[in-house]
Amino acid sequence: MTRFSVSGVVWFVIFIAVLVWSAIEPKDRATWVLEVLPAVVGLFLVGWCVLRFPLTPLVYWMILLHAVILMVGGHYTYADVPLFDRFSEWFGWQRNNYDKLGHFAQGFVPALIARELVIRFEVFSNRGWMSFFVVCFCLALSAFYELIEWWVALVSDEAADAFLGTQGYVWDTQSDMAWALSGSILALALLSRLHDQQILELHR
């Protein structure tokens, strides 16, 4: 995705369209701000990268997918996304599991971003250590996000329950990190070859 490519315009239009939709009468405005803020920050970082440090198309589109997941969760709150309410009925789940999709993406997408950076900056000479670092980074990122949720819960009674999204599940924090860990491992297992090809194409 170059500075003025058609794919870049499509990427931006999709992001803005979902953001505007998400902002129209969200279920809880405070929760919407908390959930959507990372996506908006990501938009500015993507803009900087397009101009200064172009990334692979794979990473750009994965960032967009993650942003859409965040914005949908912000609009409905993670505990009340209608499609996953339907899934709960079909599969007999005791809770709405949309937040688990979000935490899976929290490992899957950052794994590709971290992988691209450490490869292009030649941080590791051994691919095994690189993969180990990427997985550890994603797990640390997930743990830090859980700390942010805890801090928000301490300072904000109004948005805490919707932002935490525990839905009464006592192991919610641990399962969130497990989903992020699984996402990071799966990203490396499924997309490393394609990612390597696109990284090589950037240098041609």
Side-chain angles (χ1 to χ4, degrees):
M1 187 165 70
T2 58
R3 192 179 304 182
F4 301 111
S5 67
V6 172
S7 61
V9 173
V10 171
W11 192 102
F12 181 74
V13 168
I14 293 173
F15 187 101
I16 295 301
V18 178
L19 178 63
V20 170
W21 165 83
S22 178
I24 298 173
E25 298 183 356
K27 182 173 181 180
D28 183 275
R29 180 63 67 180
T31 300
W32 179 84
V33 171
L34 292 170
E35 300 290 5
V36 173
L37 181 60
V40 175
V41 172
L43 174 64
F44 285 98
L45 290 176
V46 164
W48 182 89
C49 286
V50 169
L51 296 173
R52 300 288 186 178
F53 188 78
L55 303 172
T56 56
L58 175 63
V59 166
Y60 281 129
W61 289 107
M62 286 297 102
I63 290 172
L64 178 62
L65 177 61
H66 196 184
V68 169
I69 291 172
L70 291 170
M71 291 185 285
V72 171
H75 180 80
Y76 293 111
T77 75
Y78 277 78
D80 293 303
V81 174
L83 178 60
F84 276 70
D85 280 340
R86 185 65 57 87
F87 287 162
S88 296
E89 296 174 6
W90 290 347
F91 300 113
W93 297 341
Q94 300 301 311
R95 68 194 299 279
N96 186 305
N97 283 312
Y98 186 79
D99 65 317
K100 303 310 175 190
L101 173 64
H103 285 282
F104 180 83
Q106 191 182 66
F108 196 97
V109 178
L112 295 172
I113 298 172
R115 186 178 189 275
E116 179 149 336
L117 293 177
V118 297
I119 288 175
R120 292 176 63 182
F121 285 110
E122 299 179 344
V123 177
F124 297 96
S125 58
N126 183 289
R127 285 297 180 99
W129 280 111
M130 178 196 70
S131 297
F132 177 73
F133 168 80
V134 168
V135 170
C136 289
F137 168 79
C138 293
L139 189 56
L141 180 65
S142 176
F144 182 66
Y145 190 81
E146 296 301 322
L147 290 176
I148 292 174
E149 289 186 339
W150 174 45
W151 296 332
V152 170
L154 291 176
V155 302
S156 174
D157 292 333
E158 181 181 354
D161 289 341
F163 185 57
L164 286 171
T166 60
Q167 302 178 65
Y169 181 38
V170 67
W171 302 113
D172 184 72
T173 297
Q174 291 81 0
S175 68
D176 287 349
M177 290 188 288
W179 277 103
L181 175 63
S182 300
S184 66
I185 294 171
L186 196 60
L188 296 180
L190 296 180
L191 296 177
S192 289
R193 181 174 297 180
L194 173 61
H195 196 204
D196 286 340
Q197 292 172 352
Q198 293 192 0
I199 290 173
L200 285 175
E201 291 173 2
L202 282 178
H203 296 287
R204 289 179 181 173

